PDB file of all heavy atoms in Angstrom:
ATOM      1  N   MET A  94      16.218-127.379  63.304  1.00 98.00           N
ATOM      2  CA  MET A  94      17.453-126.680  62.974  1.00 98.00           C
ATOM      3  C   MET A  94      17.824-126.948  61.515  1.00 98.00           C
ATOM      4  O   MET A  94      17.464-127.981  60.962  1.00 98.00           O
ATOM      5  CB  MET A  94      18.575-127.112  63.920  1.00 98.00           C
ATOM      6  CG  MET A  94      18.241-126.854  65.385  1.00 98.00           C
ATOM      7  SD  MET A  94      19.600-127.230  66.508  1.00 98.00           S
ATOM      8  CE  MET A  94      20.410-125.633  66.500  1.00 98.00           C
ATOM      9  N   THR A  95      18.549-126.015  60.914  1.00 98.00           N
ATOM     10  CA  THR A  95      18.967-126.192  59.528  1.00 98.00           C
ATOM     11  C   THR A  95      20.486-126.125  59.424  1.00 98.00           C
ATOM     12  O   THR A  95      21.148-125.361  60.133  1.00 98.00           O
ATOM     13  CB  THR A  95      18.345-125.123  58.601  1.00 98.00           C
ATOM     14  OG1 THR A  95      18.658-123.830  59.083  1.00 98.00           O
ATOM     15  CG2 THR A  95      16.848-125.270  58.518  1.00 98.00           C
ATOM     16  N   TYR A  96      20.999-126.943  58.516  1.00 98.00           N
ATOM     17  CA  TYR A  96      22.432-127.015  58.273  1.00 98.00           C
ATOM     18  C   TYR A  96      22.941-125.687  57.722  1.00 98.00           C
ATOM     19  O   TYR A  96      22.324-125.098  56.836  1.00 98.00           O
ATOM     20  CB  TYR A  96      22.729-128.147  57.283  1.00 98.00           C
ATOM     21  CG  TYR A  96      24.154-128.174  56.791  1.00 98.00           C
ATOM     22  CD1 TYR A  96      25.180-128.640  57.605  1.00 98.00           C
ATOM     23  CD2 TYR A  96      24.467-127.705  55.525  1.00 98.00           C
ATOM     24  CE1 TYR A  96      26.492-128.658  57.153  1.00 98.00           C
ATOM     25  CE2 TYR A  96      25.769-127.722  55.064  1.00 98.00           C
ATOM     26  CZ  TYR A  96      26.785-128.194  55.886  1.00 98.00           C
ATOM     27  OH  TYR A  96      28.082-128.198  55.441  1.00 98.00           O
ATOM     28  N   GLN A  97      24.095-125.230  58.241  1.00 98.00           N
ATOM     29  CA  GLN A  97      24.704-123.981  57.793  1.00 98.00           C
ATOM     30  C   GLN A  97      26.005-124.226  57.026  1.00 98.00           C
ATOM     31  O   GLN A  97      26.168-123.754  55.925  1.00 98.00           O
ATOM     32  CB  GLN A  97      24.990-123.058  58.985  1.00 98.00           C
ATOM     33  CG  GLN A  97      23.752-122.714  59.805  1.00 98.00           C
ATOM     34  CD  GLN A  97      22.756-121.887  59.029  1.00 98.00           C
ATOM     35  OE1 GLN A  97      23.088-120.808  58.549  1.00 98.00           O
ATOM     36  NE2 GLN A  97      21.536-122.392  58.879  1.00 98.00           N
ATOM     37  N   TYR A  98      26.946-124.948  57.644  1.00 98.00           N
ATOM     38  CA  TYR A  98      28.240-125.216  57.022  1.00 98.00           C
ATOM     39  C   TYR A  98      28.994-126.271  57.816  1.00 98.00           C
ATOM     40  O   TYR A  98      28.623-126.606  58.935  1.00 98.00           O
ATOM     41  CB  TYR A  98      29.090-123.942  56.896  1.00 98.00           C
ATOM     42  CG  TYR A  98      29.411-123.268  58.210  1.00 98.00           C
ATOM     43  CD1 TYR A  98      30.511-123.649  58.970  1.00 98.00           C
ATOM     44  CD2 TYR A  98      28.617-122.240  58.686  1.00 98.00           C
ATOM     45  CE1 TYR A  98      30.802-123.032  60.176  1.00 98.00           C
ATOM     46  CE2 TYR A  98      28.906-121.609  59.885  1.00 98.00           C
ATOM     47  CZ  TYR A  98      29.999-122.003  60.626  1.00 98.00           C
ATOM     48  OH  TYR A  98      30.283-121.398  61.821  1.00 98.00           O
ATOM     49  N   SER A  99      30.080-126.783  57.228  1.00 98.00           N
ATOM     50  CA  SER A  99      30.961-127.754  57.886  1.00 98.00           C
ATOM     51  C   SER A  99      32.332-127.133  58.093  1.00 98.00           C
ATOM     52  O   SER A  99      32.731-126.237  57.352  1.00 98.00           O
ATOM     53  CB  SER A  99      31.115-129.014  57.030  1.00 98.00           C
ATOM     54  OG  SER A  99      29.878-129.662  56.869  1.00 98.00           O
ATOM     55  N   TYR A 100      33.043-127.625  59.084  1.00 97.00           N
ATOM     56  CA  TYR A 100      34.407-127.158  59.346  1.00 97.00           C
ATOM     57  C   TYR A 100      35.212-128.271  59.999  1.00 97.00           C
ATOM     58  O   TYR A 100      34.649-129.178  60.614  1.00 97.00           O
ATOM     59  CB  TYR A 100      34.405-125.898  60.227  1.00 97.00           C
ATOM     60  CG  TYR A 100      33.856-126.116  61.617  1.00 97.00           C
ATOM     61  CD1 TYR A 100      34.710-126.385  62.689  1.00 97.00           C
ATOM     62  CD2 TYR A 100      32.490-126.051  61.873  1.00 97.00           C
ATOM     63  CE1 TYR A 100      34.206-126.598  63.969  1.00 97.00           C
ATOM     64  CE2 TYR A 100      31.984-126.250  63.139  1.00 97.00           C
ATOM     65  CZ  TYR A 100      32.843-126.515  64.187  1.00 97.00           C
ATOM     66  OH  TYR A 100      32.347-126.725  65.450  1.00 97.00           O
ATOM     67  N   ASN A 101      36.523-128.210  59.829  1.00 96.00           N
ATOM     68  CA  ASN A 101      37.430-129.178  60.443  1.00 96.00           C
ATOM     69  C   ASN A 101      38.041-128.572  61.701  1.00 96.00           C
ATOM     70  O   ASN A 101      38.313-127.374  61.751  1.00 96.00           O
ATOM     71  CB  ASN A 101      38.554-129.558  59.481  1.00 96.00           C
ATOM     72  CG  ASN A 101      38.023-130.327  58.298  1.00 96.00           C
ATOM     73  OD1 ASN A 101      37.180-131.198  58.449  1.00 96.00           O
ATOM     74  ND2 ASN A 101      38.496-129.994  57.121  1.00 96.00           N
ATOM     75  N   GLU A 102      38.260-129.431  62.684  1.00 94.00           N
ATOM     76  CA  GLU A 102      38.837-128.988  63.946  1.00 94.00           C
ATOM     77  C   GLU A 102      39.704-130.103  64.520  1.00 94.00           C
ATOM     78  O   GLU A 102      39.353-131.282  64.410  1.00 94.00           O
ATOM     79  CB  GLU A 102      37.710-128.645  64.930  1.00 94.00           C
ATOM     80  CG  GLU A 102      38.170-128.118  66.255  1.00 94.00           C
ATOM     81  CD  GLU A 102      36.992-127.716  67.124  1.00 94.00           C
ATOM     82  OE1 GLU A 102      36.268-126.768  66.748  1.00 94.00           O
ATOM     83  OE2 GLU A 102      36.784-128.369  68.159  1.00 94.00           O
ATOM     84  N   GLN A 103      40.795-129.738  65.130  1.00 94.00           N
ATOM     85  CA  GLN A 103      41.637-130.705  65.852  1.00 94.00           C
ATOM     86  C   GLN A 103      40.989-130.896  67.215  1.00 94.00           C
ATOM     87  O   GLN A 103      41.125-130.065  68.095  1.00 94.00           O
ATOM     88  CB  GLN A 103      43.078-130.184  65.964  1.00 94.00           C
ATOM     89  CG  GLN A 103      44.098-131.247  66.271  1.00 94.00           C
ATOM     90  CD  GLN A 103      44.249-132.278  65.155  1.00 94.00           C
ATOM     91  OE1 GLN A 103      43.857-132.068  64.026  1.00 94.00           O
ATOM     92  NE2 GLN A 103      44.822-133.411  65.487  1.00 94.00           N
ATOM     93  N   TRP A 104      40.203-131.961  67.344  1.00 87.00           N
ATOM     94  CA  TRP A 104      39.365-132.167  68.523  1.00 87.00           C
ATOM     95  C   TRP A 104      40.185-132.667  69.697  1.00 87.00           C
ATOM     96  O   TRP A 104      40.968-133.609  69.584  1.00 87.00           O
ATOM     97  CB  TRP A 104      38.249-133.143  68.172  1.00 87.00           C
ATOM     98  CG  TRP A 104      37.244-133.314  69.242  1.00 87.00           C
ATOM     99  CD1 TRP A 104      36.353-132.393  69.699  1.00 87.00           C
ATOM    100  CD2 TRP A 104      37.016-134.490  70.010  1.00 87.00           C
ATOM    101  NE1 TRP A 104      35.577-132.916  70.686  1.00 87.00           N
ATOM    102  CE2 TRP A 104      35.970-134.211  70.906  1.00 87.00           C
ATOM    103  CE3 TRP A 104      37.598-135.755  70.018  1.00 87.00           C
ATOM    104  CZ2 TRP A 104      35.493-135.152  71.794  1.00 87.00           C
ATOM    105  CZ3 TRP A 104      37.121-136.682  70.907  1.00 87.00           C
ATOM    106  CH2 TRP A 104      36.080-136.381  71.790  1.00 87.00           C
ATOM    107  N   GLN A 105      39.967-132.034  70.832  1.00 86.00           N
ATOM    108  CA  GLN A 105      40.642-132.420  72.078  1.00 86.00           C
ATOM    109  C   GLN A 105      39.614-133.079  72.984  1.00 86.00           C
ATOM    110  O   GLN A 105      38.435-132.753  72.905  1.00 86.00           O
ATOM    111  CB  GLN A 105      41.248-131.185  72.755  1.00 86.00           C
ATOM    112  CG  GLN A 105      42.275-130.465  71.919  1.00 86.00           C
ATOM    113  CD  GLN A 105      43.463-131.340  71.537  1.00 86.00           C
ATOM    114  OE1 GLN A 105      43.821-132.258  72.264  1.00 86.00           O
ATOM    115  NE2 GLN A 105      44.057-131.060  70.398  1.00 86.00           N
ATOM    116  N   PRO A 106      39.962-133.977  73.831  1.00 84.00           N
ATOM    117  CA  PRO A 106      41.316-134.324  74.272  1.00 84.00           C
ATOM    118  C   PRO A 106      41.983-135.433  73.451  1.00 84.00           C
ATOM    119  O   PRO A 106      43.121-135.797  73.707  1.00 84.00           O
ATOM    120  CB  PRO A 106      41.091-134.810  75.693  1.00 84.00           C
ATOM    121  CG  PRO A 106      39.741-135.459  75.640  1.00 84.00           C
ATOM    122  CD  PRO A 106      38.945-134.632  74.653  1.00 84.00           C
ATOM    123  N   LYS A 107      41.296-135.952  72.440  1.00 87.00           N
ATOM    124  CA  LYS A 107      41.858-137.082  71.684  1.00 87.00           C
ATOM    125  C   LYS A 107      42.859-136.655  70.625  1.00 87.00           C
ATOM    126  O   LYS A 107      43.524-137.494  70.040  1.00 87.00           O
ATOM    127  CB  LYS A 107      40.736-137.905  71.058  1.00 87.00           C
ATOM    128  CG  LYS A 107      39.875-138.591  72.093  1.00 87.00           C
ATOM    129  CD  LYS A 107      38.863-139.501  71.461  1.00 87.00           C
ATOM    130  CE  LYS A 107      38.051-140.202  72.531  1.00 87.00           C
ATOM    131  NZ  LYS A 107      37.111-141.145  71.958  1.00 87.00           N
ATOM    132  N   ASN A 108      42.943-135.344  70.349  1.00 91.00           N
ATOM    133  CA  ASN A 108      43.887-134.802  69.369  1.00 91.00           C
ATOM    134  C   ASN A 108      43.723-135.472  68.002  1.00 91.00           C
ATOM    135  O   ASN A 108      44.683-135.916  67.389  1.00 91.00           O
ATOM    136  CB  ASN A 108      45.327-134.902  69.875  1.00 91.00           C
ATOM    137  CG  ASN A 108      46.240-133.984  69.090  1.00 91.00           C
ATOM    138  OD1 ASN A 108      45.821-132.938  68.611  1.00 91.00           O
ATOM    139  ND2 ASN A 108      47.488-134.376  68.950  1.00 91.00           N
ATOM    140  N   ILE A 109      42.459-135.522  67.545  1.00 93.00           N
ATOM    141  CA  ILE A 109      42.170-136.081  66.227  1.00 93.00           C
ATOM    142  C   ILE A 109      41.446-135.030  65.387  1.00 93.00           C
ATOM    143  O   ILE A 109      40.757-134.156  65.917  1.00 93.00           O
ATOM    144  CB  ILE A 109      41.310-137.367  66.307  1.00 93.00           C
ATOM    145  CG1 ILE A 109      39.990-137.102  67.031  1.00 93.00           C
ATOM    146  CG2 ILE A 109      42.089-138.494  66.966  1.00 93.00           C
ATOM    147  CD1 ILE A 109      39.019-138.254  67.011  1.00 93.00           C
ATOM    148  N   SER A 110      41.595-135.112  64.079  1.00 95.00           N
ATOM    149  CA  SER A 110      40.912-134.192  63.171  1.00 95.00           C
ATOM    150  C   SER A 110      39.471-134.666  62.977  1.00 95.00           C
ATOM    151  O   SER A 110      39.231-135.827  62.650  1.00 95.00           O
ATOM    152  CB  SER A 110      41.631-134.142  61.825  1.00 95.00           C
ATOM    153  OG  SER A 110      40.971-133.241  60.968  1.00 95.00           O
ATOM    154  N   VAL A 111      38.525-133.757  63.208  1.00 94.00           N
ATOM    155  CA  VAL A 111      37.109-134.076  63.080  1.00 94.00           C
ATOM    156  C   VAL A 111      36.448-133.028  62.196  1.00 94.00           C
ATOM    157  O   VAL A 111      36.745-131.838  62.307  1.00 94.00           O
ATOM    158  CB  VAL A 111      36.418-134.098  64.466  1.00 94.00           C
ATOM    159  CG1 VAL A 111      34.922-134.319  64.337  1.00 94.00           C
ATOM    160  CG2 VAL A 111      37.030-135.170  65.353  1.00 94.00           C
TER     161      VAL A 111
END
Side-chain angles (χ1 to χ4, degrees):
M94 302 185 89
T95 55
Y96 171 76
Q97 302 294 302
Y98 60 86
S99 297
Y100 64 95
N101 293 318
E102 183 176 295
Q103 199 65 18
W104 187 67
Q105 300 301 331
K107 294 186 178 183
N108 197 30
I109 58 173
S110 181
V111 175

